[in-house]
Amino acid sequence: MIWFICCWSDAVHEQCSIDERMVAAMQALAKRRYFCRRGKVNLKKTVGLVLAVLVFFIPLVVPIPGLQFAARLTMGIFMSAAVLWMLEPIPIYSTSMLVIFLEIMLISGQGLLFNRPMAGVSAVPGTVEGTWVVDAASISDGTVYTLEEGRLGKAVPVEVLEIGTERVTFKAEGLSEATLLASDATDWRVQYKPLPYKNFFNALSNPVVILFLAGFLLAGASVKFDLDKTLTRFFLRPFGTRPAMIVLGLLLATATLSAFMSNTATTAMMVTVIMPIISQLKGDDPLRKAVALAIPVGANIGGIATPIGTPPNAVVLAALQGSGISIPFGTWMVLALPFALFLLFAAWLLLIKLFPAQEANVTLVLKGKVNKSGKAVMLYVLFGVVAVLWMTEQQHGLSSNIVAMLAIVALTVTGVVNKEDIRAVPWDVLWLFSGGIALGEAVSQTGLAAWFVNSINFETVGYMGVVILIGLVGLAMANFLSHTVTATLLAPLAISLQYSGVVNGASAIAVLMVMVAIGSNMGMSLPISTPPNAIAMGTGTFETKDLAKVGVTIGLLGFVIAVVLAKTMWPMVLQSL
Amino acid sequence: MSAIYILCLEDEPEVLDNVVRDLGEFEDTFPIEAAGSVQEARKIVADLTVRGDRVGVILCDHIMPGEDGVSFLVELADREETVATRKILLTAQAGLESTIEAINKAHLHYYVAKPWKKAELVQIVKAQMTEYVLGQESDIRPFLGVLDSERLASAIRQKGLLTDE
């Protein structure tokens, strides 16, 4: 190839000196490669966008028995969003915004399709008490549809008594002379009572979104006042200088911080802590790998420990709250903390076994001072108070979502958090799971959820089968997709299983949803699985195969532990729901 | 996605060759352009700008036949499309005056004295490119593993460049 380009440039620049020709050749090479790269990027984007549009129309053109029009639209939105989230031709938060917009335009009462009222006719009383006479067009499949302000009130099953040429006499309950019936019972709008568009906008102010907003502000303030670094020094000091103990210390410190901060920010901070350790080790010392891998592993596991640990937890909690089930902050921790601790311990054994240290001692340089400025101290106090209030939800009775608002107010009133810090909140993440919440709302409210549950026979797999299946699917997806997207796609389906007949009661559905969260958080075998993996990979200390070995083992182990807990401990903890 | 280039400007072909070879490990992420004179470098910058690409780091010799390196760096510092470019002077013989000019007017970012060591040069270019990327790019994911990981990590922590997703 280079030879070819050289010859080509030879022909063009016969008069040029040798080095100029080389330069021209190099330029040509660079150009070629550049265009190839851009071509690939554009192709992937185009394929993603075209596919997203195509799958949107599938449920609208393919006949699906028992699925009314609005549910088909929702299915189209769901499938389209899934493609966009998986192939990422547009940013994932942008897909969430699109979901909310499409729901408002297509299935809300104020959107393009459902904003015009349907024509109605009054029911005319028949000769016998309780019988009514209507145009034949008002009855379809033995059902008439009452209208309220031109939209579906309710579907009323009727007993047809007499079919005339144009008029039908029927018997039905609950009708009066004032009742308006849809004059065309086959109208595609007739089977769906459109949701107010506000419901979809409301996803943005969902209580769980406020909970995360508080978490983001606390985490942001912690970075500003170096609380994360201070705590890390505090955690690591007791672990001494023995390599195995240092790995354990790193795992625990990272996990503890990432339970309250984002996994990504924690990893980024810990990378600055481990780089001095890594650079003092010999290039071939396996301990380097153990140290570098402890960070993303600890961060991914730690995120599960509290509701605010990672966004997938938010998606799951919001879906549960949508069904009237709320898991208190402290209860979540009782479920997730033993799981996390057990898995951290297993991860520790795995890391020191796979990557045994050559050195007997490693010096840990823990430099830095505790920030004792007024605002920093205020942050320490507020963080402590809020954490305690969160964990004692059942004692004081205030929901953690409300405590979150207290945190937001206190942080800004005291000036610990200022305008810049509010602007620095990762709003894209809040949008991302707001889109997920809105999607869940549409799936359950349009009847898509019910259809999904009824079209698959879950009886044959049974309850534990469903729990295992959901966990495995989540784990598999989360290795390749964003964890939040995994939870967002699985949560609406999982929550609908409460109508399947195999998942009975609040605690059973809660266990299933916790499984969704754990599955979504356990995907960590590839650099692309999570930002923490990508950051740790960026240190160049370990290879993809090391990450894969550790990630797959811990992911599967986590899954097994979760299944055991789902069978034993979790149902007992969640009994009171 | 527009590409970020490393531009090497050096009049002696063997030296130019050495610079390009020493920086070979960046090639996959940051294509390297080589120029033998200021005119040529100017044309390359113009071509890249037309395509929407940018020069992230320029390594520039000073004494060359025709125009000298420092005045070219000053020119780049005055132009909008190259004001953010990280400017490295790679020279054995820049007098005090031109060095002062390079610092004050071209906002020189680094001075490397010839002869250089490969590891040292790689380290310097990596650090400078890291600063360029942090200042100019909104998505740093493609650069993890290529640039200074500690510097990137601390920027991720402080500026929230990456989030859980």
Side-chain angles (χ1 to χ4, degrees):
Chain A
M1 173 64 87
I2 293 174
W3 174 82
F4 169 77
I5 290 168
C6 286
C7 292
W8 167 78
S9 70
D10 240 324
V12 177
H13 307 278
E14 263 176 327
Q15 311 299 321
C16 298
S17 67
I18 289 183
D19 53 325
E20 264 174 320
R21 236 181 306 156
M22 273 313 292
V23 169
M26 284 166 91
Q27 258 176 295
L29 246 183
K31 221 176 263 182
R32 271 196 67 80
R33 187 185 38 219
Y34 165 63
F35 282 119
C36 291
R37 191 190 298 162
R38 177 143 74 183
K40 230 180 251 167
V41 169
N42 281 349
L43 182 69
K44 196 183 152 208
K45 242 184 186 174
T46 316
V47 168
L49 287 174
V50 169
L51 206 59
V53 173
L54 284 181
V55 296
F56 173 78
F57 287 103
I58 291 175
L60 299 182
V61 287
V62 176
I64 307 167
L67 200 59
Q68 49 91 5
F69 190 64
R72 285 161 191 256
L73 287 168
T74 305
M75 194 191 233
I77 295 173
F78 187 95
M79 287 165 54
S80 201
V83 167
L84 292 175
W85 273 325
M86 287 175 189
L87 301 181
E88 283 189 54
I90 57 174
I92 51 178
Y93 54 83
S94 195
T95 299
S96 279
M97 294 169 176
L98 182 66
V99 163
I100 295 177
F101 176 68
L102 285 178
E103 288 179 348
I104 288 169
M105 291 303 273
L106 300 179
I107 59 174
S108 84
Q110 288 73 30
L112 275 180
L113 298 179
F114 290 96
N115 62 352
R116 284 161 300 115
M118 283 181 279
V121 289
S122 299
V124 179
T127 43
V128 185
E129 177 83 20
T131 65
W132 305 85
V133 181
V134 290
D135 279 346
S138 285
I139 297 190
S140 171
D141 286 339
T143 313
V144 295
Y145 300 92
T146 69
L147 295 186
E148 285 162 16
E149 292 170 7
R151 305 209 163 81
L152 173 66
K154 53 181 183 251
V156 181
V158 300
E159 185 191 332
V160 176
L161 299 174
E162 187 193 333
I163 304 178
T165 43
E166 282 173 8
R167 311 277 285 174
V168 176
T169 309
F170 66 86
K171 197 172 160 188
E173 284 175 15
L175 298 186
S176 77
E177 283 178 57
T179 313
L180 273 181
L181 298 178
S183 51
D184 180 4
T186 55
D187 190 307
W188 49 265
R189 291 171 294 170
V190 87
Q191 292 178 27
Y192 167 62
K193 184 177 195 168
L195 293 167
Y197 77 116
K198 277 193 256 171
N199 283 28
F200 299 117
F201 277 145
N202 281 349
L204 285 166
S205 60
N206 186 292
V208 177
V209 173
I210 303 295
L211 177 69
F212 266 69
L213 187 55
F216 288 152
L217 287 178
L218 279 171
S222 303
V223 168
K224 188 162 85 169
F225 295 108
D226 284 338
L227 177 57
D228 52 347
K229 288 190 169 174
T230 306
L231 286 175
T232 306
R233 288 197 300 274
F234 173 76
F235 285 135
L236 287 182
R237 211 158 272 146
F239 286 91
T241 57
R242 278 179 46 220
M245 291 314 283
I246 284 181
V247 173
L248 180 62
L250 288 171
L251 277 169
L252 289 175
T254 313
T256 311
L257 284 175
S258 84
F260 293 94
M261 293 175 48
S262 93
N263 298 353
T264 307
T266 307
T267 304
M269 190 273 301
M270 291 303 289
V271 161
T272 60
V273 172
I274 60 162
M275 286 319 272
I277 306 178
I278 287 172
S279 59
Q280 65 168 290
L281 293 170
K282 280 199 220 92
D284 59 345
D285 192 333
L287 179 64
R288 291 163 62 104
K289 293 183 177 181
V291 165
L293 282 164
I295 304 308
V297 167
N300 287 325
I301 297 175
I304 299 165
T306 71
I308 60 162
T310 66
N313 303 358
V315 175
V316 162
L317 285 170
L320 278 168
Q321 284 180 13
S323 289
I325 302 166
S326 65
I327 302 183
F329 199 105
T331 308
W332 179 286
M333 288 188 72
V334 172
L335 298 173
L337 200 57
F339 169 82
L341 286 175
F342 201 86
L343 202 53
L344 282 171
F345 187 71
W348 176 54
L349 294 179
L350 181 71
L351 285 177
I352 56 174
K353 179 117 184 65
L354 280 179
F355 311 107
Q358 289 174 351
E359 309 281 330
N361 282 294
V362 178
T363 23
L364 204 52
V365 191
L366 298 170
K367 278 184 299 196
K369 272 195 201 129
V370 180
N371 189 335
K372 286 178 187 148
S373 67
K375 281 184 182 165
V377 172
M378 183 57 87
L379 169 69
Y380 309 152
V381 173
L382 284 179
F383 208 135
V385 169
V386 169
V388 168
L389 285 178
W390 267 337
M391 291 174 209
T392 53
E393 186 175 331
Q394 279 151 309
Q395 281 71 45
H396 55 71
L398 279 181
S399 144
S400 49
N401 304 330
I402 298 173
V403 174
M405 197 61 208
L406 168 77
I408 294 170
V409 170
L411 284 169
T412 50
V413 166
T414 52
V416 172
V417 158
N418 60 28
K419 219 160 37 174
E420 281 72 40
D421 303 323
I422 294 174
R423 288 187 192 135
V425 164
W427 294 102
D428 55 326
V429 180
L430 294 179
W431 271 104
L432 175 61
F433 60 73
S434 294
I437 293 168
L439 194 59
E441 166 97 353
V443 168
S444 74
Q445 298 293 321
T446 56
L448 179 60
W451 170 85
F452 162 74
V453 166
N454 290 330
S455 54
I456 299 171
N457 184 5
F458 291 98
E459 300 286 349
T460 48
V461 265
Y463 174 62
M464 275 320 282
V466 168
V467 170
I468 289 170
L469 211 61
I470 282 278
L472 268 185
V473 170
L475 177 62
M477 283 169 72
N479 276 299
F480 301 96
L481 297 184
S482 136
H483 287 183
T484 314
V485 164
T486 303
T488 298
L489 293 175
L490 283 181
L493 305 180
I495 197 88
S496 66
L497 292 174
Q498 61 186 313
Y499 309 112
S500 66
V502 292
V503 185
N504 297 315
S507 82
I509 190 74
V511 166
L512 182 67
M513 295 305 282
V514 172
M515 199 65 192
V516 171
I518 287 191
S520 309
N521 280 320
M522 286 284 93
M524 52 171 132
S525 61
L526 298 169
I528 57 149
S529 302
T530 71
N533 285 14
I535 294 171
M537 192 78 204
T539 62
T541 333
F542 56 85
E543 292 166 57
T544 309
K545 66 170 199 283
D546 300 316
L547 178 64
K549 221 185 289 173
V550 172
V552 168
T553 314
I554 293 175
L556 286 175
L557 196 63
F559 164 71
V560 172
I561 298 173
V563 169
V564 172
L565 289 174
K567 183 87 187 141
T568 54
M569 181 193 132
W570 291 347
M572 289 194 293
V573 176
L574 291 167
Q575 229 166 22
S576 57
L577 287 181
Chain B
M1 197 179 116
S2 80
I4 301 172
Y5 279 75
I6 296 172
L7 176 57
C8 307
L9 169 55
E10 165 66 59
D11 62 323
E12 283 177 65
E14 304 97 76
V15 181
L16 183 59
D17 222 37
N18 281 338
V19 179
V20 172
R21 205 179 42 224
D22 283 356
L23 298 180
E25 66 179 77
F26 295 107
E27 197 56 271
D28 286 341
T29 321
F30 306 106
I32 300 174
E33 285 282 8
S37 69
V38 169
Q39 290 98 304
E40 213 179 308
R42 195 177 284 127
K43 176 151 189 334
I44 290 172
V45 172
D47 285 352
L48 293 180
T49 310
V50 168
R51 294 210 306 249
D53 295 338
R54 293 153 298 158
V55 180
V57 171
I58 178 168
L59 295 109
C60 186
D61 188 13
H62 177 48
I63 309 282
M64 286 180 285
E67 298 174 66
D68 66 64
V70 169
S71 55
F72 182 56
L73 288 182
V74 173
E75 179 186 325
L76 291 181
D78 286 340
R79 291 225 301 257
E80 200 189 333
E81 62 268 26
T82 44
V83 65
T85 299
R86 306 298 288 194
K87 299 168 187 80
I88 301 174
L89 201 57
L90 180 62
T91 183
Q93 39 186 340
L96 180 63
E97 217 163 290
S98 43
T99 309
I100 290 173
E101 195 193 351
I103 291 171
N104 290 344
K105 293 198 185 149
H107 310 297
L108 189 71
H109 296 99
Y110 215 97
Y111 186 112
V112 185
K114 286 180 187 169
W116 68 87
K117 287 198 192 85
K118 183 187 168 185
E120 177 200 20
L121 190 69
V122 165
Q123 191 48 47
I124 291 162
V125 170
K126 190 181 266 190
Q128 292 303 324
M129 193 55 106
T130 306
E131 293 310 317
Y132 181 83
V133 164
L134 283 175
Q136 301 296 311
E137 293 292 287
S138 57
D139 184 7
I140 60 159
R141 277 176 299 180
F143 309 105
L144 290 167
V146 189
L147 297 176
D148 179 351
S149 53
E150 212 173 334
R151 176 77 182 94
L152 283 183
S154 87
I156 290 169
R157 169 179 174 266
Q158 263 161 354
K159 298 189 200 145
L161 296 179
L162 286 179
T163 49
D164 283 8
E165 41 179 55

